[in-house]
Amino acid sequence: MASHSDTLVVFFGATAGANGGKLGSDEREIILLVWQIVDLHEKKVGKLHRCLVKPDTLELTDECKEETDLIVDDLTKADPLDKVLQQFQQSVQAELEDLGRNSFTLCVDGPQVIRQALHPEASKKNLVLPECFFSFVDLQKEFHKCCPNAGPGEDLNISSMLECILPMFSTSVCVCGGMGGCVYHRFSCFESVKYKFESGTCSKTDPVDSETVIRARGLPWQSSDQDIARFFKGLNIAKGGVALCLNAQGRRNGEALVRFVNEEHRDLALERHKHHMGSRYIEVYKATGEEFLKIAGGTSNEVAQFLSKENQVIIRMRGLPFTATPQDVLSFLGPESPVTDGAEGLLFVKYPDGRPSGDAFVLFSCEEYAQNALRKHKQILGKRYIELFRSTAAEVQQVLNRYMSAPLISTLPPAPILPVMATPPFLATANTRDCVRLRGLPYTAAIEDILEFMGEHTVDIKPHGVHMVLNQQGRPSGDAFIQMKSSDKAFMVAQKCHKKTMKDRYVEVFQCSTEEMSIVLMGGTLNRSGLSPPPCKLPCLSPPTAYGAFPSPAMLSEAGLYQPPLMASPRPQPQHSGHSATPALAYYPPQPHLYMNMNYTAYYPSPPVSPSTVGYFAAPPGAMASAVSQSHHPAHGSLLRMQGLPYSAGVKDILSFFQGYQLPPEGVIVLYNLSGQCSGEALVAFPSEELAGQAVLERSHHLLYGHPIRLAFCT
């Protein structure tokens, strides 16, 4: 019996969109499959098979019509992809039997038809591909390896490459007369497609090539590493090469870093930018090995031992009682979902001081056991409902690193220098169109980049007139507002700078009013439909009517130097004639411009050309911590941290949540983000440690307006 290299099946495909080197990049379906058998032993070629494929969407691009000479009517009576693949198997098998062979080598003109078209489409349509499509020979690579001196501009097709590689049609070893002389050739560039993604661990000391890593953004929050591997089906992901990113609250933020086996597969992955996972499109960008190791790398021996068992399905449990034992968890999961190696297949997440966090990871030996466990999602263990999610090895590393290295409560940044103005209305709420909006900024753009982008118009910017717009995660959104000295200056900037380039991206510049800028900076939206107010109205930052009898300060006092994220809950303060040694907590009048000034100018300083008409003085170090300690933390009490609050939650809502504990309003501190919205966290002071412990046991993971609330001790 001749070797499998004696029989080739040359395979070709076309889609309803882009073809050639861009095949599959536009997510269009396959409409044409062509194949032909080449018998090297007998020096013969078989019948040319050309089968049309009916796509789910009958629509062809002009480029496709020109290259394939097909129209929509040609496809209406064609068979779907699964039927055509059956025809391929049957025809190839029949011809092999006539030749007395039982195997063949699949040859393609470039990997796109297999990796970028066939495998992704079969995955979306839940089709099982024949085994022959998991191993193939790329004739382009074979040709350039066999004929290294061939010019890249030559018009190459399958026939010309085969004539060069196999001119004598001998057996498995063929003589090729290249420009560099005669060489003996055997097919060596066999490529493979992995059947499934392999999970695994990654150490922070392992080298990771930056040319193999991408960042995927816009993922559904419930997506797992297997879902991401399915999105990149046809491309080979390195073992343990999917790292899901978490936000500050330990929840997935819709991003993941993916590491491929080589640069070629990374480049093909970038071609899937804005392809769809379900109904969502996924953005794909380049990333670095350092970013991947930061998320996926770990050094904990406990984690390494837990993840040393390969080919395990990992499930994350959240909301466990702090008193839960391994036996409690095993009993909760039941005999229908046995844990690998019993208690050794459990990993409880703990704080640095050994206190449990309520999270745990569980190993299962097969998908069936994991599915049985996931059916217990939100069932009760003790007095709490338990959440169960699919997880990954990288997420285990990331969660353990976060809990073991991060402080119990977020560390406050150094006190910034804040401007104190003689005239409070920094952002006048007028309709004067003396501002410009920059849209489409690179996410890495800084104030210096904007000043360079503005060029000669920088001198016309008002003092502290550059405002970066942040998203709800506190990261740059790609937008910025700039206050100009007049409407005419703003008009000139919009005319001269519109669609100029910043870091390979063109930036749109529009003239707008101060009112429009104010609404967007406070969390509202500005689009073609007009202005939408922010979801959290700003008066909630001022004292409620119950405290209306206390006069508001006419000017910004030392209390205005506190960090914006630490705006406290309502509490009246006595008036003092002078500055005290320790500043007292105070409230600001309901003026949106004042709070916005604090948020943005503190973190984004004014241009260097602005006149120095503003006085500065720094906040006393530790003033806020001292005030909170003296005013809200009883001498022998305890402090709890609440997480998961609705963004509309206020002090009354928190007191209602702890109804029966007799907590005073001044014992509650709601934390706000840079957009003036509730950050989802709060600090609550209890008169005794026993009462705080009782609240943790009784109220953790109870619902507040549909949101499960997490409670933890903090100092």
Side-chain angles (χ1 to χ4, degrees):
M1 182 69 65
S3 117
H4 74 281
S5 296
D6 293 343
T7 308
L8 308 181
V9 174
V10 182
F11 189 79
F12 172 81
T15 68
N19 289 288
K22 290 291 184 179
L23 183 73
S25 62
D26 54 3
E27 213 174 359
R28 294 300 188 100
E29 297 174 87
I30 295 174
I31 60 168
L32 175 66
L33 291 180
V34 180
W35 66 90
Q36 186 176 29
I37 288 185
V38 178
D39 184 1
L40 302 180
H41 187 69
E42 300 293 336
K43 303 177 184 178
K44 295 179 180 179
V45 295
K47 177 184 176 183
L48 180 67
H49 299 269
R50 187 175 185 271
C51 289
L52 299 179
V53 182
K54 183 179 181 180
D56 293 339
T57 302
L58 289 172
E59 182 180 349
L60 304 180
T61 64
D62 294 337
E63 178 187 355
C64 172
K65 293 177 182 178
E66 182 180 350
E67 292 185 359
T68 62
D69 292 330
L70 295 175
I71 58 175
V72 173
D73 293 340
D74 297 333
L75 305 176
T76 54
K77 296 183 180 180
D79 292 325
L81 181 61
D82 56 340
K83 298 292 185 183
V84 175
L85 291 177
Q86 289 181 10
Q87 296 177 27
F88 169 81
Q89 280 186 286
Q90 293 170 0
S91 66
V92 170
Q93 188 64 33
E95 291 190 56
L96 287 177
E97 291 178 357
D98 293 341
L99 295 173
R101 317 283 168 76
N102 56 14
S103 62
F104 62 90
T105 297
L106 188 70
C107 298
V108 295
D109 180 17
Q112 287 83 1
V113 64
I114 300 293
R115 297 193 183 277
Q116 297 286 75
L118 190 58
H119 275 279
E121 184 172 340
S123 178
K124 290 180 180 178
K125 296 181 177 180
N126 294 317
L127 304 180
V128 179
L129 289 176
E131 188 176 352
C132 62
F133 291 113
F134 288 85
S135 177
F136 61 93
V137 171
D138 182 358
L139 291 179
Q140 290 187 13
K141 287 185 180 179
E142 288 287 343
F143 173 79
H144 289 294
K145 182 178 179 180
C146 177
C147 307
N149 295 326
E154 293 185 15
D155 185 17
L156 300 177
N157 53 43
I158 293 179
S159 300
S160 62
M161 287 187 290
L162 279 176
E163 288 175 3
C164 177
I165 298 172
L166 309 170
M168 296 182 62
F169 284 92
S170 66
T171 57
S172 59
V173 179
C174 306
V175 179
C176 174
M179 294 180 68
C182 292
V183 296
Y184 289 92
H185 178 77
R186 181 189 297 271
F187 283 127
S188 58
C189 294
F190 281 94
E191 297 197 28
S192 63
V193 179
K194 288 187 176 182
Y195 288 91
K196 65 177 183 178
F197 169 69
E198 298 178 88
S199 60
T201 59
C202 179
S203 172
K204 287 187 177 180
T205 60
D206 293 342
V208 176
D209 186 0
S210 293
E211 299 302 320
T212 63
V213 182
I214 61 95
R215 178 184 294 271
R217 180 179 296 164
L219 299 165
W221 67 268
Q222 72 273 26
S223 58
S224 66
D225 55 350
Q226 297 295 337
D227 297 321
I228 296 172
R230 185 174 182 180
F231 175 80
F232 290 108
K233 187 67 176 177
L235 306 178
N236 293 342
I237 299 175
K239 183 177 180 180
V242 176
L244 296 167
C245 302
L246 306 180
N247 60 18
Q249 287 75 40
R251 298 178 180 271
R252 298 173 186 173
N253 63 3
E255 295 187 6
L257 294 169
V258 185
R259 176 189 178 192
F260 293 91
V261 294
N262 56 40
E263 183 179 355
E264 178 190 359
H265 288 238
R266 191 281 309 266
D267 292 341
L268 291 175
L270 292 173
E271 295 289 339
R272 301 194 188 184
H273 179 59
K274 291 196 174 182
H275 283 204
H276 288 76
M277 180 184 289
S279 59
R280 302 181 59 128
Y281 72 83
I282 309 301
E283 300 175 26
V284 183
Y285 304 99
K286 289 183 179 181
T288 65
E290 182 181 354
E291 290 176 303
F292 181 83
L293 285 177
K294 183 178 179 181
I295 300 299
T299 57
S300 170
N301 293 331
E302 184 182 16
V303 176
Q305 183 178 0
F306 176 77
L307 298 174
S308 60
K309 305 176 181 64
E310 297 183 356
N311 300 322
Q312 300 288 311
V313 183
I314 305 175
I315 298 295
R316 181 180 180 181
M317 301 180 70
R318 192 163 59 199
L320 292 169
F322 296 141
T323 57
T325 64
Q327 189 57 45
D328 295 332
V329 175
L330 295 176
S331 301
F332 172 79
L333 295 172
E336 65 275 10
S337 48
V339 178
T340 301
D341 295 338
E344 294 184 3
L346 298 175
L347 179 63
F348 288 91
V349 182
K350 298 180 180 180
Y351 289 103
D353 58 2
R355 290 183 293 109
S357 67
D359 282 25
F361 292 94
V362 190
L363 294 178
F364 295 98
S365 59
C366 65
E367 186 67 31
E368 179 185 356
Y369 296 158
Q371 288 288 351
N372 293 338
L374 290 172
R375 293 191 183 99
K376 296 183 179 291
H377 180 59
K378 292 196 174 182
Q379 291 190 14
I380 303 299
L381 174 59
K383 294 183 179 180
R384 302 186 185 183
Y385 74 87
I386 310 301
E387 298 174 292
L388 290 95
F389 308 95
R390 288 183 176 274
S391 187
T392 67
E395 187 175 23
V396 176
Q397 300 273 22
Q398 195 176 353
V399 171
L400 265 293
N401 290 343
R402 183 184 300 273
Y403 274 96
M404 293 305 295
S405 60
L408 299 182
I409 184 170
S410 299
T411 304
L412 299 179
I417 296 177
L418 296 178
V420 179
M421 304 194 64
T423 305
F426 181 71
L427 297 177
T429 55
N431 290 323
T432 306
R433 299 178 63 81
D434 58 351
C435 301
V436 291
R437 180 186 185 185
L438 274 59
R439 187 169 66 186
L441 294 169
Y443 293 123
T444 57
I447 294 293
E448 293 76 11
D449 300 314
I450 293 179
L451 298 180
E452 182 180 353
F453 175 81
M454 297 281 289
E456 60 184 8
H457 303 285
T458 303
V459 296
D460 299 321
I461 300 176
K462 283 185 178 181
H464 298 269
V466 180
H467 304 274
M468 305 289 284
V469 181
L470 308 180
N471 59 22
Q472 290 187 353
Q473 287 75 39
R475 292 180 296 190
S477 65
D479 282 22
F481 285 92
I482 300 177
Q483 291 179 279
M484 308 302 294
K485 292 181 178 179
S486 67
S487 299
D488 295 338
K489 302 294 185 184
F491 176 79
M492 290 299 297
V493 171
Q495 292 294 316
K496 295 290 184 65
C497 298
H498 185 56
K499 291 195 174 181
K500 277 181 59 178
T501 302
M502 180 189 297
K503 296 184 178 180
D504 298 328
R505 294 189 63 170
Y506 76 84
V507 178
E508 299 174 289
V509 183
F510 307 101
Q511 188 179 8
C512 66
S513 67
T514 307
E515 179 184 10
E516 294 170 336
M517 177 182 69
S518 301
I519 290 179
V520 174
L521 292 182
M522 289 312 232
T525 56
L526 173 61
N527 49 40
R528 294 178 181 176
S529 302
L531 286 169
S532 299
C536 178
K537 296 183 182 294
L538 288 171
C540 67
L541 300 176
S542 305
T545 55
Y547 299 94
F550 294 90
S552 299
M555 290 182 58
L556 186 61
S557 65
E558 286 189 14
L561 300 173
Y562 297 141
Q563 309 282 341
L566 287 175
M567 294 291 289
S569 57
R571 185 185 184 199
Q573 296 293 331
Q575 300 296 316
H576 298 283
S577 58
H579 295 296
S580 58
T582 302
L585 288 175
Y587 286 92
Y588 311 113
Q591 297 172 333
H593 56 267
L594 184 59
Y595 189 67
M596 290 163 58
N597 182 26
M598 291 176 60
N599 278 339
Y600 289 90
T601 58
Y603 294 90
Y604 300 98
S606 62
V609 298
S610 301
S612 56
T613 56
V614 183
Y616 291 86
F617 57 94
M624 188 61 188
S626 174
V628 172
S629 175
Q630 295 180 16
S631 303
H632 293 284
H633 202 327
H636 301 287
S638 186
L639 198 62
L640 290 187
R641 182 181 187 178
M642 300 181 69
Q643 292 181 308
L645 291 170
Y647 292 126
S648 59
V651 175
K652 290 184 178 180
D653 301 312
I654 295 175
L655 293 177
S656 175
F657 180 79
F658 288 110
Q659 187 175 6
Y661 288 87
Q662 304 299 322
L663 299 178
E666 59 267 22
V668 179
I669 302 176
V670 181
L671 305 183
Y672 291 86
N673 59 24
L674 293 177
S675 300
Q677 298 174 329
C678 174
S679 65
E681 299 190 11
L683 302 179
V684 183
F686 283 77
S688 66
E689 188 172 346
E690 291 77 15
L691 192 62
Q694 181 181 351
V696 170
L697 292 175
E698 293 180 354
R699 304 301 298 171
S700 286
H701 292 276
H702 280 218
L703 299 180
L704 177 59
Y705 300 138
H707 291 244
I709 305 300
R710 300 187 299 280
L711 301 175
F713 284 94
C714 64
T715 57

